[in-house]
Amino acid sequence: MKYSLLLAASAALALAVPQGPSKRASSFAWFGVSESGAEFGNQNIPGVLGTDYIWPDTSTIQTLRNAGMNIFRVPFLMERLVPNKLTSSPDATYLQGLKSTVEFITSTGAYALVDPHNFGRYYGNIINSTSDFAAFWTTVATQFASNDKVIFDTNNEFNTEDQTLVLNLNQAAINAIRAAGATSQYIFVEGNSWSGAWTWTTVNTNLVSLTDPQNKIVYEMHQYLDSDGSGTSDTCVSSTIGQERVQAATEWLQSNGKLGFLGEFAGGANSLCQSAVTGMLSYMQENSDVWLGASWWAAGPWWSTYIFSMEPPSGTAYTYYLNILSAYFPSSSGGSTTTSTSTATHTTTTTTTTTSTKSTATATSTATASHWAQCGGIGWTGATTCASPYTCQAQNAYYSQCL
C-alpha cells in the first residue's frame, strides 16, 4: 500500500512543482536557517532599530550561503510593517529593511522565506478578520510580486485558535497573494498548535482543503526534540525521537499528495541530539518526494550564547552542526554523516547578545548578565541581575534581556 501511495504522490508532485528548484537524487530542494532579529522586542512596538530589534547581517548570510545553504527565513513583526491596523500602509523605514534583506538573499541565488512572526495575532489579539489578513498580504505580496525567489510564509505558528479560522486565514492569504500578482512564488502555510509536525494529523487535517490556482502550496511544519517539543532545552528525548515525531506527518503528506517543509528544528550540541537530528533528516530525505527541505532555528546577530545559534563564526550550532547538516544541503549528494563537530572555518563579523521571540533555553549561571544578555525567561537558570546601569526587561515569556 505504501508503495502505491508513493507512486501516486510522485506523479501528482511532478505536476505540482514544474518550476521548483532542481532536485538531485538523495537531496532536498532547500536547506537553510531562520535569520532572526527583526521580530525581537515584541513588547516594544514600534521599537528602535539596534535597541529593540535588528536586521540580519548580510555578511553572515553570505557565509552560510557559501557553505551551501539556499533558503533563509526572515521573521518580522506585522505591527512594525503595518502599524495601527492590518489595513494600514507600510512603514517605509521598516519595509525598506525587510526589502533590503530579502533582495540581498535573492541576489545570491538563494530563496528568501518572508515570515510574519506573529503566531496568528496582531498587537496580541487573535486575528479574526480574513479580509484584514488579506489586506496585509496584499501589501506584502505587492512588494515582492516580481521576485520569483521569494516564498511567502502565511504566519508563524498559529496556536490555540479555532481550527476553521486557521484554515480560512491561510486561504485568505493565498488568495490575496495571487491577486496581488505574485503568481510564480511558493506559499508556505502553517498550522495550529504551533504548526508542530508531531501533532499535525490530530489538529491540522482540515488544511488539506486549501487551494491555490498555481498549485504551489507547501505545508510548513516545525519540530523540536526536547520532552515537550518546545525547543527550550538542549536535551533530546532519545536518539530516534526526530524520525518518530515526523513520521505521521510524512504519511499524511504522502497520502494526500502534498508537499512539506520543516520550517523550524534544532537540537542540542551533543551526541544524542546529533543522532536524533540526523535520523530525522535522513528519514525526511528518504521521503523527499514530499519533504522539500528544512531550516534550522536560528541565526541572527543577537544570538551569541543561544544553545541553538547558527550565527557565524562562533554560534554553538554553527561550530557543532554546520558540517553535520551540510550532508543534507542541496549541493550535497545527501545522506547522513558521522561527524560529531563542525570543522567549518568560515569567518565573519557578528554582534553580541542573545534574544528571541521563539523559545530559548538554560544557560550557565553567572553573577550578573551584561548589556544585551539574557536575564530571564521560561527555563532560564542563568543570571537574573544585570550589570549596572542595565535592567532586566521581559521581551516575551521565553526571553528577558538586559537593556
Side-chain angles (χ1 to χ4, degrees), residues 229-246:
S230 65
T232 56
S233 171
D234 60 358
T235 301
C236 295
V237 172
S238 71
S239 63
T240 58
I241 193 63
Q243 176 176 336
E244 292 165 8
R245 285 186 174 174
V246 300

Side-chain angles (χ1 to χ4, degrees), residues 70 73 108 145 160 180 185:
N70 72 339
R73 187 166 176 250
T108 72
T160 63
Q185 296 89 346

